[in-house]
Amino acid sequence: FYKWFEGEFNKNVAWDKLVTALITAEGSVEANPATTYFLANRSVDKLTDTTAQHFMGIQLQCAQCHNHPFTSWKQTEYWGMATFYSKVKIDNPK
C-alpha cells in the first residue's frame, strides 16, 4: 500500500483522483493495493469517520449520535455519507 501510495504521489496524481481511487477501489490487494484502505477500516462507521477526517479534514464522528455542537454537520449528513459505505463488501479478506 505504501509503495502504491508513494508511486501515485510521485506521479503527481491529483488529490481528488487519488482519493477517488481509494474510496472506490475494487479487487484484491495484489491487483489493486488501494483496497487496503477498506481492509484497514472494515466497518461502516470506521470508513465514514476515517474518510471525513483524512480527506475532508473534519471530525464527523460525533454527528453519528447527535448534531455536531460546534459546526453545521447534522446526523442526516453523517448517515448520508455512511450510506455510501453500507454497500461495501469485503470478500475473502487476507
Side-chain angles (χ1 to χ4, degrees):
F1 178 72
Y2 290 109
K3 287 184 185 270
W4 173 84
F5 196 81
E6 178 183 19
E8 297 298 292
F9 187 78
N10 288 334
K11 287 188 279 188
N12 203 27
V13 173
W15 187 244
D16 64 326
K17 303 262 189 253
L18 188 62
V19 171
T20 298
L22 284 170
I23 65 171
T24 61
E26 294 182 42
S28 68
V29 172
E30 294 82 15
N32 184 2
T35 58
T36 303
Y37 182 72
F38 290 105
L39 293 174
N41 301 285
R42 289 189 183 193
S43 66
V44 171
D45 59 332
K46 181 77 169 164
L47 282 165
T48 303
D49 298 347
T50 303
T51 300
Q53 184 175 7
H54 291 155
F55 306 127
M56 298 168 62
I58 59 171
Q59 298 285 334
L60 191 58
Q61 63 270 22
C62 64
Q64 180 179 8
C65 301
H66 56 268
N67 292 336
H68 198 291
F70 306 116
T71 70
S72 60
W73 291 99
K74 307 288 184 221
Q75 271 186 290
T76 54
E77 293 163 316
Y78 178 93
W79 289 107
M81 188 171 162
T83 300
F84 173 83
Y85 290 116
S86 68
K87 304 263 184 204
V88 171
K89 303 286 185 237
I90 299 175
D91 295 328
N92 300 317
K94 297 179 184 176

